[in-house]
Amino acid sequence: MIRFFWNFIWISIALTFLNSCSNPQGESKSRSIIETRVDSVLSLMTLEEKVGQLNQYSLGSEFTGPGNKKGQDSIRYQQLISGQVGSVLNLLGTANTRKMQELVVKNSRLGIPLLFAYDVIHGYKTMFPIPLAESSSWNLELMQKTAQAAGAEAAASGLHWTFAPMIDVTVDARWGRVMEGAGEDPYLQSEIAKARIRGFQGNDLSHNKTIAATAKHFAGYGFAESGKDYNTVNINQYILHNHILPPFKAAVEANVASFMNAFNDINAVPATANKYLLQDILREEWGYDGVVVSDWNSIGELVNHRVSPDLRDAAKKAIIAGSEIDMEGNAYVQNLSDLVENGEIDEALINDAVRHVLRLKFELGLFEDPYKYSDEKREKEIVGNQQHHELSEQMAKESIVLLKNDRNILPLKNFKTIAVIGPLAKDKDTPLGNWRAQAVENSAVSLYEGLEKALPSDTKLNYAEGVKLSIGPNNFFQEQVINEEDRSGFQEAKLLAQNSDLVIMALGETAYMSGEGRSRANIGLPGLQKELLKEIEAINPNIVLVLMNGRPLELTWENEHIPVILEAWHLGQRAGTAIAETLIGKNNPSGKLTMSFPRHVGQLPIYYNHKTTGRPSTAPGQVFYSHHTDVDNSPLYPFGYGLSYSEFEYSEVELSQKSMTEEDSITVSLSVTNISEIDGQEIVQLYIQDLVAEETPPVKSLKAFQKLKIKAGESVKINFTIQKDMLSYYKSNGEVALEKGKFKVYVGANSTVQNHKEFSLK
Ligand code: BGC
């Protein structure tokens, strides 16, 4: 009876919708139609059913099997069929999602479809480079495309919603999750956030190739004390407003469908129960009206944070603060109804949250067709297809960062015998990276395979593993045991090095040495790799060091002794092809770092846009200035840094005028010339320094960039426009400040650029 009623309502609303599409107010009309539908569904729901929409479980395919978990997990099963589960994570594939959807739609009283969510972080089946690697490309269009392809694969597998992008600004390479984001700069992180959201969501969530995205983790997770995962975050309001929040604000502007809160407490308030973040900023200041999901049991963890004595109180604090869906915490399903009935919380809070969930379901088109994403034919065509592998290769090539290339050893030429040494050289799994969704284990092209294909047939390629990187299990859940003792492969590797013209060493971190729960106190090459590298270097210093890792590493010794260093991250499906083609010069590297590489772990956190301090420097030999006595203040490789086989020359910066007002702008122009004989790409970066401000300003901040293709010998003239929003900052009270005075604009190849002109805002 109820379903007959739905059908009638939907058909008449659909007709109204079709009419609305032909007029210019179509979008707002369809929005208001959705609001009407949301309200009509809400009005039919019992309190328990409403709470059910806020309950999310992680369920495997066994729940869709013949027994439907009846015997084994009868509580969850009962909840599913009585409409007390609103969304499910980690259930995949058209067959499984269809069965689960059927179970709920056919059995529950109102038949409200489920949302299927999953962590599609850098690919679903086809693995793209890890997000930190992709960010090094600074290629927004390409990042949008990889997100789009990942979203299309996920949508074709029955999924509706990804928990990505992670847009936490990260300044501490000890934190394992730096691999999931776009590094240390808030502006670049914001631009990349928008590109990825556009990629996942497209213009129309109801399209069967798009999925809902999530801006996570709100907020401050990237500033975990000492880079230790889940750790407390203590930051001042200036950092919050200027470094942490801008990417989230950008995500709101890009219409991101959902927000996820964070595990950490921030200035003594857990993010999950943080009214200031979730209400004052997200809802009131930014006007966000999407849904907020908790992180995994982060509501339950309020008890561990010791702000709640029990789960009931945790549920109360979280819903009042604005955490709307309880992911795997059992806090809401067990307590919210009771809290309402007892008069401890207002049902209006629940209604608002449910409205957000229902609206997302409508936007995805699930009420019209709950099975629209479960189409086996589409799944076969789209998931892991050839075009996506090609796109992954293209992205991998742009993500590589050339850190050092002495004597122009690269691109490789005239080497007859090459030794390929290292635990990652033939590794087909590491390049897939952590958070790899449904990637097939060991399915990446290894570096060795790539080289075999790319090098001329008269080059002799020899291989030795040299050393094992880890021992025992290598997976998402378990701690990796690093090999600290077994040197049995050293001898063979050394012999090989001795008899070769060149050594390519593939070292770094396995896929599961970075990512969630993988913080490291020591960020040098793990295990015995450095020892092996030193011994090889003593025999044959002609080394190309290819690094595969998920975070900035400490490479001070390597930088001093090894002539060539290529940062190849975890590059995804065709990593080996991308690296090999870069080594031989078929691909000219163009990536630039989005996180500073420190000289020493003791410098962390390190980021280019730091404050000047009251003692920036002093006369040589004096000690009373801000520094470590044993390490230089600068990073080893700065933000924005990366080499190319081409060489670029920058002209002086020219300004259209020496001052501007709030109403006008200044055009910055200069030319960049490729003075080499190789076509290349250059990422031109514009930074602004506010000379004097009411609150201590950073030394400089990235405000714009352009990635340009410049042919050998060609010169390109470029312009940037300085507008008032590039000169403003957030004061600690959150207000935007635009202060008159002097500024410097820098344009160049990385964050240490000196090429600048001064101007003023009048
Ligand atoms: C992570 C989230 C992720 C969630 C669901 C948590 O441990 O912090 O980023 O989306 O698990 O898998």
Side-chain angles (χ1 to χ4, degrees), residues 370-386:
Y371 311 106
K372 63 184 288 198
Y373 297 84
S374 299
D375 172 340
E376 277 181 40
K377 189 168 161 270
R378 207 170 51 233
E379 188 175 35
K380 282 202 187 94
E381 276 165 18
I382 294 181
V383 175
N385 71 22
Q386 189 67 13

Side-chain angles (χ1 to χ4, degrees), residues 89-90 119 121 163 177 180 216-217 221 230 260 263 295-296 327 435 476 516:
L89 89 137
N90 294 335
D119 290 282
I121 307 295
F163 296 139
R177 301 195 77 168
E180 282 176 71
K216 75 184 189 184
H217 305 85
Y221 192 28
Y230 319 119
M260 182 186 288
F263 287 126
D295 204 343
W296 184 285
M327 184 199 293
W435 283 114
F476 182 68
E516 186 173 351

